[in-house]
Amino acid sequence: MKQLNRRDFLKMGALVAGGAALASCTPAPAPAAPAAAKPAEPAKPAEAKPAAGAQKLEIFSWWTSGGEIEALNGLYDVFKKKYPGVEIVNAAIAGGTSSGGDMKAVLQTRMMGGDPPESFQVHLGGELLGSYVAAGQMEDLDFLYKEEGWDKVFPKELVDIASTGGKPYSVPVNIHRSNMMWYNKKMLEGVGAQPPKTWDEWFALADKLKAKNQPTLAIAESGAGFTAHVFETMMIPVLGPDKFKGLFSGSTSWEDKGIGDALNILKKALDYANPDFLNVGWGDVNDLMVNGKVGMIIQGDWTPGVLWSKKFQDFGWAPAPGNTGIYQMLSDSFGLPKKVKNRTAAINWLRVCGSKDGQDAFNPAKGSIPARTDADLAKYGEYHKSAMADWKKDKLVPSIVHGAAAKLSFMTDFMNAINVFATKKDTAATQAALVKAAKDAGFQK
Ligand code: GAL
């Protein structure tokens, strides 16, 4: 099979988007089973209060956790300084690793009702292009990219998965890496272990911790999403990056034996998870590791943002087992829905999202690296610098759970199939559910 390189990754993004656009001109379905929306975090008060009756800028996101709040407020602060007359309405709805499921459900209702917010958090790639753009809900941002010269400062990899038909539809604020392992240094040292490089090494470590009655793998599966994220990082080493990418372009079948093998790794690993994982949410799982109740979290690099905000420093990081040299990526962005109430404020928000000041205010607290290539490195720490170096040299693969690989309906099916697997542990039934989801999404016949 032809080896895919970084550039092919882009083509794949366009393919996914294009295929989805052809397949569907109807609005994306709302994610399954939205839980009750939690109240939004209030935006920090502006220094100079906008006058009564000021233009409102309503921003949807699912950033309500440590690291996320500081990062979002960083962007808001830059906006408030530049546009003091506009009132920001922070309409964040908690959603963590369900990849914003609750927010997306509310957003869908608002969009369908012709009442969109001025802008909303959306992942570049399939989620943006295959869902909101395919449904005709977004304005194209070609004019803004030209005015701001963004083609020159955003990597081509990102512009391509922000675009369809040669036009960009969203403004990336960052690049996250999802296939990472964050571990409690004391717990690993307690059994004399190094961070495991393969799943075999991982199980050897997990046995040592189990002998001390300590779970190794943090899982927060009170809703769908977290386990699916962990599972993606198991698929990558079994399939290899090229076959993994082929799952979304039709060149790899979801019937491949590798999918079943990866499910069996997950089945075994769940025996080493915090036993109450079906009742634990993402908000609490980080505390388990901070408090030495579980050895590690396999999650994206928003995790250091959460840990820093808890003033917890005693953690190390490494790529998830078998993932060295592979950068599973996703990018958070903001776009311009059609028919917003305050279009000028929305466009100015996007200018801030794409600006150097905005990105350097947002990313140091978030854990992600800036989308722009001209960041002020003095503002970033050790983790960010290692991620920036890896981004340049690693092979790129897109995240499923975080919207880069596929449209929303597939993401939801994928997360739900793995959520069921977490309780039933039925490999054959789960692979069959994934094959069906892939067929529904048009990835295979
Ligand atoms: C991702 C999102 C990240 C991060 C994470 C946890 O989907 O892209 O920015 O916030 O969810 O909420």
Side-chain angles (χ1 to χ4, degrees):
M1 190 180 128
K2 182 177 163 279
Q3 289 283 303
L4 295 175
N5 57 27
R6 283 173 80 94
R7 294 285 167 239
D8 289 324
F9 168 79
L10 315 177
K11 282 193 220 133
M12 192 210 66
L15 231 178
V16 168
L22 284 179
S24 147
C25 281
T26 51
K38 302 197 182 87
E41 282 286 335
K44 271 205 308 200
E47 293 77 26
K49 261 200 147 213
Q55 273 216 341
K56 287 197 164 77
L57 173 78
E58 189 183 22
I59 302 295
F60 266 45
S61 78
W62 58 89
W63 287 327
T64 61
S65 294
E68 297 176 340
I69 297 172
E70 292 89 324
L72 185 56
N73 280 335
L75 274 180
Y76 287 165
D77 287 346
V78 174
F79 181 90
K80 284 177 204 164
K81 268 198 204 108
K82 288 201 172 147
Y83 308 101
V86 177
E87 184 190 340
I88 297 176
V89 180
N90 181 33
I93 298 172
T97 46
S98 69
S99 207
D102 296 346
M103 182 214 88
K104 286 170 186 162
V106 176
L107 177 68
Q108 200 59 36
T109 310
R110 290 276 304 268
M111 300 279 269
M112 302 283 282
D115 180 26
E118 268 66 38
S119 192
F120 61 90
Q121 177 192 354
V122 57
H123 291 124
L124 289 193
E127 180 178 316
L128 167 73
L129 300 174
S131 306
Y132 304 104
V133 176
Q137 294 170 326
M138 308 301 287
E139 281 198 37
D140 93 63
L141 299 174
D142 206 32
F143 70 99
L144 198 56
Y145 269 61
K146 291 214 168 90
E147 272 177 50
E148 299 286 326
W150 283 333
D151 282 342
K152 286 174 215 83
V153 289
F154 293 146
K156 181 165 164 32
E157 283 91 343
L158 291 194
V159 177
D160 279 2
I161 58 169
S163 306
T164 185
K167 298 210 186 307
Y169 282 85
S170 203
V171 182
V173 287
N174 67 358
I175 302 166
H176 265 305
R177 181 173 184 179
S178 58
N179 56 343
M180 289 295 291
M181 172 170 76
W182 313 91
Y183 57 90
N184 180 310
K185 279 189 180 168
K186 260 198 205 91
M187 289 178 73
L188 261 63
E189 279 160 19
V191 292
Q194 295 294 318
K197 290 205 166 61
T198 62
W199 281 102
D200 285 345
E201 285 180 24
W202 189 91
F203 284 111
L205 158 73
D207 278 331
K208 287 188 194 154
L209 286 173
K210 197 168 205 171
K212 293 176 75 178
N213 241 338
Q214 293 174 340
T216 303
L217 184 64
I219 294 280
E221 197 65 9
S222 60
F226 194 103
T227 314
H229 180 124
V230 176
F231 176 59
E232 286 195 69
T233 73
M234 294 166 168
M235 290 165 71
I236 291 169
V238 174
L239 293 169
D242 298 329
K243 265 180 99 174
F244 179 85
K245 283 184 282 191
L247 290 167
F248 315 103
S249 63
S251 64
T252 307
S253 164
W254 283 80
E255 270 138 330
D256 194 282
K257 179 177 173 294
I259 303 281
D261 293 347
L263 283 168
N264 287 335
I265 297 177
L266 175 60
K267 186 196 259 182
K268 194 170 158 200
L270 286 172
D271 287 342
Y272 298 88
N274 45 300
D276 55 347
F277 67 79
L278 289 174
N279 299 316
V280 176
W282 183 60
D284 300 318
V285 82
N286 300 287
D287 290 328
L288 288 183
M289 193 185 78
V290 169
N291 298 327
K293 300 252 162 58
V294 68
M296 67 171 66
I297 300 178
I298 293 181
Q299 269 295 318
D301 53 13
W302 41 88
T303 302
V306 179
L307 299 176
W308 294 325
S309 80
K310 292 179 187 289
K311 311 268 178 273
F312 180 69
Q313 299 289 347
D314 203 18
F315 66 95
W317 61 82
N323 281 258
T324 304
I326 302 162
Y327 206 106
Q328 191 174 27
M329 63 76 62
L330 58 121
S331 171
D332 293 303
S333 73
F334 286 88
L336 179 60
K338 287 181 180 163
K339 300 200 197 105
V340 296
K341 286 187 216 78
N342 295 311
R343 190 168 176 275
T344 305
I347 291 171
N348 288 337
W349 163 251
L350 298 179
R351 286 186 210 282
V352 168
C353 289
S355 70
K356 186 165 147 80
D357 283 359
Q359 303 218 342
D360 285 342
F362 177 84
N363 288 292
K366 187 74 170 73
S368 41
I369 60 174
R372 291 180 68 112
T373 46
D374 59 353
D376 177 358
L377 289 184
K379 301 213 160 99
Y380 294 87
E382 197 193 337
Y383 171 71
H384 288 97
K385 286 183 183 147
S386 71
M388 288 176 196
D390 288 346
W391 164 259
K392 285 195 195 125
K393 63 178 163 51
D394 282 3
K395 274 201 143 189
L396 305 182
V397 301
S399 163
I400 304 172
V401 172
H402 304 282
K407 58 182 173 180
L408 279 173
S409 54
F410 179 79
M411 239 165 99
T412 307
D413 289 348
F414 180 82
M415 297 195 302
N416 287 343
I418 302 302
N419 177 262
V420 174
F421 183 78
T423 28
K424 300 214 168 139
K425 301 194 179 149
D426 184 336
T427 301
T430 303
Q431 185 161 9
L434 294 176
V435 170
K436 179 174 184 307
K439 287 183 178 166
D440 290 348
F443 297 148
Q444 70 187 63
K445 293 218 172 79

